[in-house]
Amino acid sequence: MANIKISEQKVLQIEAICKEFNNEKGELINVLHRTQSLLGYLPAEVQEIISKNLNCSVAHVYGVVTFYSFFTMIPKGEFPISVCMGTACYVRGAEKVLDEFKRILNVPVGQTTPDGKFSLSCLRCVGACGLAPVVLVGEKVYGRVSPDGVKDIIKEYRQG
Amino acid sequence: MEMINIKIDNKELKVAPGTTILDAAKSVGINIPTLCYLHLHDFNITNKPAGCRVCVVEVQGRRNLAPACATDCYEGMVVNTHNIRVLNSRKTVLELILSDHPTDCLVCSKSGSCELQSMAQDMGIRQIEYQGEQSHYKEDTSPAIIRDVDKCIMCRRCEMMCNEVQTVGVLSAVNRGFMSVVAPAFEMNLDHSVCTYCGQCVAVCPTGALTEVDHTNQVIRALADPSKTVIVQTAPAVRVALGEEFGMEPGTSVTGKMVSALKNLGFDFVFDTDFAADLTIMEEGTELLDRITRHLKGDTSVKLPILTSCCPGWVNFFEHQFPEMNDIPSTARSPQQMFGAIAKTYFAEKLGIKRENLVVVSIMPCLAKKYECQREEFSTNGNPDVDFAVSTRELAHLIKQANIDFNILPDQDFDRPMGESTGAAVIFGTTGGVIEAAARTAYEIFTGKTLEKVDFSQLRGMEWIREATVDFDGTPIRIGIAHGLGNARKLLQDIKDGKSQYHAIEIMAAREDV
């Protein structure tokens, strides 16, 4: 078992989430959702706490975490970048935009830069197809992004 | 009950509602091939994720083919299990599985007993039409089990064994799509997980993805080393399993030939583990008596029931899962380790050699014994009491490699003094053996009489535990026997909750029918 490194307060919060769902095994996905929105990610020790409280094996929890792409064991960056790969964005060149982010940040999709500033992920449709291709940085939406525009977006946050 | 009329391959039959096509077909002599499907009668648990699709059949009126293992029959159903469409699909499915499977069958340890290999043979697969990327995964070698996940076909039988039957919870399907594998949490290696080495996953793996660690080469090297005296102990189960490896009827007892073969292999002394089983029984019997006597005198600190400690898978299980209860099991070593301890002390001294120059090999029917002899407490200054534990299969390989014609060997006797045993140990190997023998010992010491017969019975609704009551001169002593770690968990939970009715319980990690 991994040593618990997260704070006692966070442990209590995770236990409270489990309890809210009556420590039901069948509520695992809901518990994981809530926990990830609390911590931003689901590290090993968190999965162990959840497994103990829901009385299911850690292997099972890990199996669910690795199955759904929404769940992550890697902490999100200070500025999480999401590139929309929905149909409209895709046909208008989202993949080239994504490639440019990967090139400049030097991280693959799903990873965070070593300085913890940026993380890169893909998502499917934010409902702004008229602005395709769309990129989100945190809550902020950038529309009609071209590969050339990528460096400017990154610059905005590097300086800030 | 209302029966359902169906037709399979033009045979008309009636089946009960809820019967699968697979079972219905079997009842009229039609064996639909399966890979992932596995039914365990003892536990009434079935693995049918319908993942491999090898069992597909055509159901009239249904657009796509149906997996026979997971499709229930309905009134008027018409099924075809081997028309061209079905055969082509089945072959395609198998070729696709094979396209992501290593083709090193010639040197695979599962070769000859691999279900995927024999299915490819049966279906006449001579080339794999599909070529593409193959999945690769790190190999994981633990003290007893090797995981070579490249050979995994995701049948998930091991996962069912580990979780539903044994409730150990080490293995789970992780990741997604092409990347998915069966692995422990965080994809750690088995020896970092809570794996008990019960070996049940290995027993049900259809391919070479899960296999036992092989020690035959170490044994051959020890036998060839003139500075070493090499002795061997054989567990009771081996003498009735070894014959099968040489084409004899399953269950044939080959004790004399086995002893001959071991001597021909160059072992200096050949002993019977039954000798050490007697010691374990004496230890456990007197320990049981001591706890009962103290309990009857009103000593409330006594832990009852006493649990047996011969099965290393089970010992591992309670150490990992119920660490707060580790004062409940017997303190006696298992027969394998009893033997090793005596061999490396008393017997080495008798021979006038250092323990380092005495190599103790044991032939065991259980792969957890490989792990047990590597436990730190069973060694002195880094020298283990038992150096190598090898399986019946490995022994057969040793015999074949030494060019010994097993079938014409003369019978020979075990060596003395450690080749003798009383009758108590004979019933040891099967579940129900050790606790009965220990109870008999305790009874004899307590009452001064010999116990005639111990009748075990099953309780309705509790078929997983067999129990017997022995009358210790007016005090009824209840003993129980359970196999499978899932059942052990129930017993431990009862003890924890103070609900256990037993004075002594024997537990074996393995199922009886694997």
Side-chain angles (χ1 to χ4, degrees), chain A residues 44-63:
Chain A
E45 62 260 47
V46 166
Q47 294 181 41
E48 277 168 11
I49 295 166
I50 292 171
S51 108
K52 212 171 274 168
N53 281 276
L54 303 191
N55 195 23
C56 59
S57 75
V58 198
H60 178 67
V61 176
Y62 179 74

Side-chain angles (χ1 to χ4, degrees), chain A residues 14 17-18 30-42 46 50:
Chain A
I14 296 164
I17 292 171
C18 295
N30 286 329
V31 170
L32 290 172
H33 261 287
R34 289 284 302 279
T35 311
Q36 182 161 303
S37 64
L38 174 74
L39 301 170
Y41 70 123
L42 298 164
V46 166
I50 292 171

Side-chain angles (χ1 to χ4, degrees), chain B residues 295-458:
Chain B
H295 170 71
L296 292 176
K297 283 183 184 151
D299 183 348
T300 50
S301 70
V302 175
K303 301 285 183 187
L304 279 174
I306 188 169
L307 304 173
T308 54
S309 55
C310 302
C311 168
W314 150 237
V315 168
N316 230 338
F317 181 74
F318 72 69
E319 282 179 344
H320 285 310
Q321 314 256 350
F322 292 85
E324 70 282 9
M325 290 170 73
N326 65 6
D327 52 350
I328 293 204
S330 159
T331 58
R333 286 174 177 225
S334 71
Q336 163 169 281
Q337 297 307 138
M338 283 272 186
F339 181 94
I342 292 165
K344 288 268 171 116
T345 54
Y346 166 79
F347 193 64
E349 203 182 300
K350 224 180 120 185
L351 293 177
I353 58 172
K354 285 198 197 126
R355 65 178 286 139
E356 290 75 24
N357 289 329
L358 181 68
V359 177
V360 177
V361 177
S362 55
I363 319 284
M364 293 283 148
C366 156
L367 64 79
K369 290 286 171 192
K370 287 177 183 289
Y371 151 82
E372 185 185 41
C373 70
Q374 293 176 50
R375 282 178 70 121
E376 223 179 293
E377 71 265 28
F378 295 137
S379 68
T380 302
N381 301 329
N383 179 265
D385 291 345
V386 173
D387 293 84
F388 308 110
V390 301
S391 66
T392 309
R393 213 166 64 104
E394 288 170 86
L395 172 60
H397 291 165
L398 281 171
I399 295 170
K400 285 170 187 169
Q401 282 180 48
N403 311 330
I404 295 167
D405 187 345
F406 187 79
N407 289 285
I408 60 161
L409 284 176
D411 284 352
Q412 270 184 277
D413 288 331
F414 282 114
D415 284 305
R416 287 154 201 275
M418 303 208 287
E420 289 173 60
S421 89
T422 66
V426 177
I427 44 171
F428 189 97
T430 55
T431 302
V434 66
I435 205 66
E436 185 182 334
R440 280 174 184 279
T441 307
Y443 180 88
E444 280 196 37
I445 300 172
F446 187 77
T447 64
K449 291 179 286 191
T450 306
L451 188 58
E452 280 305 314
K453 209 171 135 199
V454 180
D455 281 325
F456 282 92
S457 59
Q458 273 163 343

Side-chain angles (χ1 to χ4, degrees), chain B residues 82-100:
Chain B
H82 64 97
N83 63 19
I84 292 288
R85 183 185 172 208
V86 169
L87 286 178
N88 280 339
S89 289
R90 198 171 283 154
K91 207 166 173 178
T92 302
V93 161
L94 194 58
E95 283 175 357
L96 284 168
I97 294 172
L98 290 169
S99 74
D100 188 21

Side-chain angles (χ1 to χ4, degrees), chain B residues 240 243-244 247-253:
Chain B
V240 287
E244 210 179 325
M248 295 182 195
E249 279 288 301
T252 312
S253 181

